[in-house]
Every structure is written in C-alpha cells, then in structure tokens.
Amino acid sequence: MSSAVSGERAERESVRRPGTRKDRDETRENRNETRKERETRKDRDETRENRNETRKERETRKDREARKDRGTPKTRGPRGARRGRRLLWVLPPVAALGLFFLYPLALVVRQSFSPDEGGISIEPYTEVFASAAFREALTTTVWLAVGSTAGCLVLGFALALVIAFVPFPGSRAVARFIDVFLSFPSFLITLALLFIYGTVGMVNGAWTDLTGAASGPVQFLTTPWGVLLAEITYFTPFVIRPLLAAFSQLDTAQLEVASSLGARPARIVRRVILPEALPALAAGGSLVLVLCLNEFGIVLFTGAKGVTTLPTLVYSKAILESDYPAACVVAVVNVALSVGLYAVYRMVARRAGA
C-alpha cells in the first residue's frame, strides 16, 4: 500500500515539474517584457522632459533677449555688418547708373512733355503721332527689323549647320572668327559693302572698265534693300553663336540612329536638329530684332535715299531741325519699343537657357 502511494506521488511530481518549469520561464519572460516596457516608458518620459526643458530654455533665452532689447540699444552684429558692407559695394554702381543713364533718360521724358511754348503738355506727342514722317519712319523701322531678323534666322541656321555638322578644313577657325566678328562696329561692314557694291565700288568699276558705260548696274545699296542686306550681313553672327552652342549640346547618337534608319538629311534636320535649335533661334532672333530696331550707323553710312527709321528721325529732329520736344517724343517711343522687345528676349533666353 505504501509503495503504491509513493509511486503515485512520484508520478504527480514528475508530471508537475515540467509544467512548473514552463510556468517559471513564462513568468521570467513576462518580467523581462515588463522591465523593457518600463525602460521604454522611462526613456520616453526622459525624452519628453528633455524636450520640455529645451523648449523652456528657448523661451527663457528669447525672454532674455527681449528684455535686453528693451533695456539696451540695438547694436549691429556680424550679419548687420556684412549687410552694411554689401550696401557700400552696391551703392556706387547704382549711383553711377542713376547719374549717367537714368537721369538723362528722365530729362528726355520730361522734355517730351515740354512744348516750345512752355509748361507741361501732351501736345508734342499729338503733333508727332499725327505727322506722316513719324508714321513712315515707324513703318520703315518695323519692316526693316522684321525682314533683317527673318534673313538672319534663315542664313544663320544654314551657316550654323554647315559649321557644326559638315567637316571641312578650318571649321574651328571660322567658328572663332564669328566670335571676333561680333565685336566689329556696324559701320565697318557698311563700308566694306560700299567698297564692293557702291556706286564706284569694285563691281561697278569692273563693269565700267569692261563696257565703257558711264555707271555700273549695281545701285541697290542706296535703297532700303541695301540697308536690309547690310543688316543681315552684320547681325547674322548674333544668330549663329547661340545656334553653335545649342548644336554642341546635341547628342550625335540621335543623328546616327536616324541616318541608320534611312532618314534623309533634310528629314534629320527637320525632325531632329530643328526642335533642339528652336530655343536658340528664338533667343538669337529676339536679340537681332532689338538691335535692328535701334540701328543707326548702317542706315547713315549706306546713304540710302528715302530710308528714315526712328533713330535717324531722332537725329533729324534734334540736329537738323532743332525740334527737341519732337526728337524726345520719338526717342521715348523708340526706347519703349526696345525695352518691350528686350523683355521678350530675356524671357525667351531664360527659357532657352541662354
């Protein structure tokens, strides 16, 4: 009997021991998790307290600075001193700009509202706008500028294609010469054209020597077409330069792929090159339009009869007729057109990345 009882007790203990060990392990894990939660909660509380302390310190610092500003006069710090130095560097060029450019321009605008009788009136504007000479000069200026711009775009695009994509000896020298050509004065090109196509130029001289005629057949240089030719000749490099810069960024792999697929050169130019060149064409054309609108030397040196533009009308009114209010009115109109076109040019150039 006693042996049976002891056997049952041993069996119960053997069954209870594994369960007890498992319970102990679970209790230990629960304690570890509870400890971790406590530590996490403690870390969160410490972080929150640190944030509160940092916020309090900032508020305290701001309060101190505010009290200091109320009690003591403000003094310039390093940032204020740096700003003062910048102003010292900026003020001289701004003052020079105002003195040598803005002030004379303001005088021109004021003179345009000052008739010969005295006082301030819009009478000079009404007289100038009603005159046939002003309307003719405005029309001539606009069509010469637009025609020259169109010619420069066509000729400049063709020459830029040849220089950029057609290999020939001296292509780099030609590209560099274009940069030098941009620095030439406009009357120098006009004089060169006079030596070639003038009344006593090379072409007419050779004709009279061969035929014995009194004059040569080339007389177009003293007409509006001569002015148009001179302006196209002079301003075409202003279109070529941005085009060459745009072509240098063009991926030649596109051209090779298009050529390998059987595309003809004209199609490659129309579908691949022209879309990449449109921003540069727009920027160069806008600049040429502004320059042609204000060109004076070419019109004067060609001696074109009956060609009066806005700049030459200003010269005629101010120097030949001494009508300063009318001259200032024409100048104000010319400046307004130029500034508007220049704003368009800057907008196009910014979009083109020029």
Side-chain angles (χ1 to χ4, degrees):
M1 185 73 179
S2 62
S3 62
V5 172
S6 61
E8 289 178 359
R9 187 179 300 168
E11 185 177 357
R12 288 174 186 173
E13 290 177 357
S14 64
V15 173
R16 190 183 301 166
R17 283 173 185 171
T20 304
R21 190 178 296 109
K22 185 183 289 185
D23 292 339
R24 290 173 182 174
D25 293 338
E26 291 178 356
T27 304
R28 191 178 295 108
E29 290 178 358
N30 292 333
R31 289 175 181 174
N32 291 333
E33 290 179 358
T34 305
R35 189 180 296 108
K36 289 180 181 179
E37 291 177 357
R38 290 175 182 174
E39 292 176 356
T40 304
R41 191 181 299 110
K42 188 175 182 180
D43 293 339
R44 289 176 183 173
D45 295 339
E46 290 179 356
T47 304
R48 192 178 294 110
E49 290 177 359
N50 292 332
R51 290 178 181 174
N52 294 333
E53 290 178 359
T54 304
R55 191 180 295 111
K56 289 180 181 179
E57 289 177 357
R58 290 176 182 172
E59 293 176 355
T60 305
R61 191 181 299 113
K62 288 182 179 179
D63 293 340
R64 290 175 183 173
E65 292 177 355
R67 292 195 206 98
K68 190 182 295 183
D69 292 340
R70 294 192 199 103
T72 59
K74 293 184 178 180
T75 58
R76 285 188 177 181
R79 187 175 299 176
R82 196 179 303 115
R83 191 175 300 169
R85 294 193 199 98
R86 289 179 182 174
L87 289 176
L88 290 177
W89 282 102
V90 170
L91 283 178
V94 171
L97 179 66
L99 180 62
F100 296 106
F101 177 73
L102 297 179
Y103 179 67
L105 185 60
L107 291 179
V108 170
V109 174
R110 189 183 69 176
Q111 184 65 31
S112 67
F113 289 97
S114 302
D116 294 333
E117 294 79 10
I120 297 177
S121 174
I122 61 171
E123 182 181 354
Y125 283 88
T126 57
E127 291 180 356
V128 170
F129 291 164
S131 63
F134 172 77
R135 294 194 295 269
E136 182 182 356
L138 181 61
T139 304
T140 304
T141 302
V142 171
W143 86 258
L144 278 176
V146 173
S148 300
T149 303
C152 290
L153 289 176
V154 174
L155 183 60
F157 184 69
L159 293 177
L161 283 177
V162 173
I163 296 173
F165 299 109
V166 178
F168 63 92
S171 59
R172 292 185 179 179
V174 173
R176 292 178 181 177
F177 176 75
I178 290 174
D179 295 336
V180 177
F181 190 88
L182 296 175
S183 63
F184 289 171
S186 59
F187 69 86
L188 184 62
I189 306 303
T190 308
L191 286 178
L193 292 177
L194 285 174
F195 287 143
I196 299 174
Y197 303 109
T199 305
V200 292
M202 296 172 57
V203 175
N204 288 327
W207 176 264
T208 55
D209 292 340
L210 291 175
T211 62
S215 61
V218 180
Q219 302 293 335
F220 73 92
L221 200 59
T222 56
T223 65
W225 300 107
V227 177
L228 189 67
L229 174 64
E231 289 188 350
I232 292 175
T233 304
Y234 179 70
F235 291 114
T236 295
F238 290 86
V239 177
I240 297 176
R241 185 65 265 174
L243 282 175
L244 292 179
F247 291 160
S248 65
Q249 303 297 325
L250 184 64
D251 188 6
T252 57
Q254 299 179 10
L255 306 180
E256 295 174 357
V257 170
S259 179
S260 64
L261 293 176
R264 295 182 178 180
R267 184 178 178 84
I268 294 175
V269 171
R270 187 175 67 254
R271 300 298 297 273
V272 180
I273 298 178
L274 185 58
E276 297 292 335
L278 283 178
L281 279 173
S286 302
L287 179 60
V288 169
L289 187 63
V290 174
L291 295 176
C292 290
L293 190 70
N294 298 296
E295 183 54 41
F296 176 73
I298 290 177
V299 181
L300 183 66
F301 273 81
T302 54
K305 299 176 182 178
V307 179
T308 304
T309 60
L310 290 179
T312 57
L313 184 61
V314 173
Y315 174 80
S316 176
K317 291 290 185 181
I319 305 302
L320 303 180
E321 301 178 16
S322 298
D323 189 358
Y324 295 108
C328 291
V329 169
V330 179
V332 168
V333 173
N334 200 359
V335 169
L337 291 175
S338 302
V339 171
L341 289 176
Y342 181 74
V344 174
Y345 161 71
R346 291 302 306 168
M347 181 177 63
V348 173
R350 192 180 299 111
R351 291 183 179 179

